[in-house]
Amino acid sequence: MSAAGQPKLIVAGDAEALALAAAERVMARIAANPSRIAICLTGGSSPKKLYQLLGSDAWRGKIPWDRVHWFIGDERFVPETDPLNNMAVARATFLDRNAPAGHLHPIPTVVENPDEGAAAYAHELQAFYGSDQLDPARPLFDLVLMGAGPDGHTASLFPGYPEIEETRRWAVGVPKANVAPFVPRISLTLPALASCREMLFEIAGHDKQPILTRLLNGENLPALRARSNGETVWLVDRAALPEEFRGPR
């Protein structure tokens, strides 16, 4: 994992230490950019402790909220009020109390279908970026947060599905999910997600050991194919790390 071009593997002692390490990396990326900052969030269970931390009294005062814009890498095609909505969870946990409303960029789901929502979000991203063509020298995002599902999916890019092969569009509709909840999705594509200074995976919990074993062994799954044009980091707690990859305590 330490070879050039490979993800950097960082092991945290437990889920709390992982959230703390993730928060420190978020703050480091914010500190590295003195102008407008773009952070792409993720859904699922992995980032919840991180979001709670960023919204806590100890951390929220460190964030220059007037300079940070918040996006999201994928969304379930459900209303914003639905508990399954990824951005709604992030908003309720830490964003709505702190971030200016104009700095929140949820994926639209009150549209006819996921393809329409994907096209609208791609247009919003391109307007923010100032171009409809990604320049490798000018990343779209400062930081992209990611997770890995039990089947090796990341964002809503599922193994064996055609959306993982998309190279032209920035966002795509996903008509059927490969894992629960089985609702349609909208996802950024690999090229859009790659346009970042850092891609940070959070992988925590004993139930992630099977998929992490497959990823560490190099299986060609979406979570392994997702790479930043800058730095890619896998932040893993010891419960998720397979025994054969553990060093001494």
Side-chain angles (χ1 to χ4, degrees):
M1 298 297 295
S2 61
Q6 295 296 306
K8 178 181 180 181
L9 180 65
I10 299 175
V11 181
D14 54 27
E16 285 70 27
L18 183 145
L20 179 60
E24 289 171 345
R25 295 194 75 90
V26 171
M27 294 309 303
R29 284 295 165 188
I30 289 174
N33 185 351
S35 58
R36 188 179 67 170
I37 298 155
I39 294 177
C40 185
L41 301 172
T42 185
S45 59
S46 296
K48 287 182 179 178
K49 289 182 183 296
L50 167 63
Y51 295 167
Q52 291 167 355
L53 205 56
L54 294 177
S56 68
D57 290 341
W59 285 83
R60 63 186 177 189
K62 302 176 183 180
I63 299 173
W65 297 98
D66 60 329
R67 292 196 293 114
V68 185
H69 287 254
W70 306 88
F71 297 86
I72 195 152
D74 74 308
E75 189 56 88
R76 286 92 177 249
F77 194 66
V78 296
E80 291 184 7
T81 53
D82 193 300
L84 293 178
N85 188 281
N86 286 329
M87 192 63 155
V89 172
R91 292 182 67 159
T93 307
F94 79 108
L95 290 176
D96 279 347
R97 296 189 305 276
N98 299 293
H103 288 208
L104 303 181
H105 303 270
I107 292 175
T109 56
V110 187
V111 291
E112 189 69 25
N113 54 58
D115 287 339
E116 186 176 325
Y121 204 53
H123 181 75
E124 181 172 355
L125 287 167
Q126 289 162 3
F128 179 85
Y129 186 67
S131 173
D132 62 359
Q133 299 293 319
L134 291 167
D135 178 358
R138 186 169 69 91
L140 170 60
F141 301 113
D142 292 271
L143 179 70
V144 171
L145 295 172
M146 300 282 266
D151 60 346
H153 81 268
T154 194
S156 282
L157 301 173
F158 298 102
Y161 280 40
E163 294 82 17
I164 188 66
E165 306 300 339
E166 177 62 47
T167 59
R168 182 177 55 84
R169 289 177 291 175
W170 293 25
V172 288
V174 182
K176 184 179 74 170
N178 195 43
V179 297
F182 295 101
V183 296
R185 316 283 184 97
I186 296 166
S187 181
L188 298 192
T189 58
L190 287 182
L193 293 165
S195 183
C196 62
R197 300 186 187 281
E198 179 177 336
M199 181 179 288
L200 178 62
F201 281 82
E202 286 187 86
I203 305 175
H206 184 76
D207 61 337
K208 291 295 176 74
Q209 269 198 27
I211 191 58
L212 189 54
T213 299
R214 295 168 64 188
L215 293 169
L216 289 170
N217 283 321
E219 189 170 338
N220 190 32
L221 294 166
L224 186 66
R225 293 177 61 181
R227 300 283 178 88
S228 170
N229 292 336
E231 183 179 18
T232 304
V233 176
W234 289 3
L235 186 54
V236 177
D237 73 353
R238 287 190 67 88
L241 192 65
E243 291 288 344
E244 61 265 35
F245 292 96
R246 295 187 185 188
R249 289 183 178 272

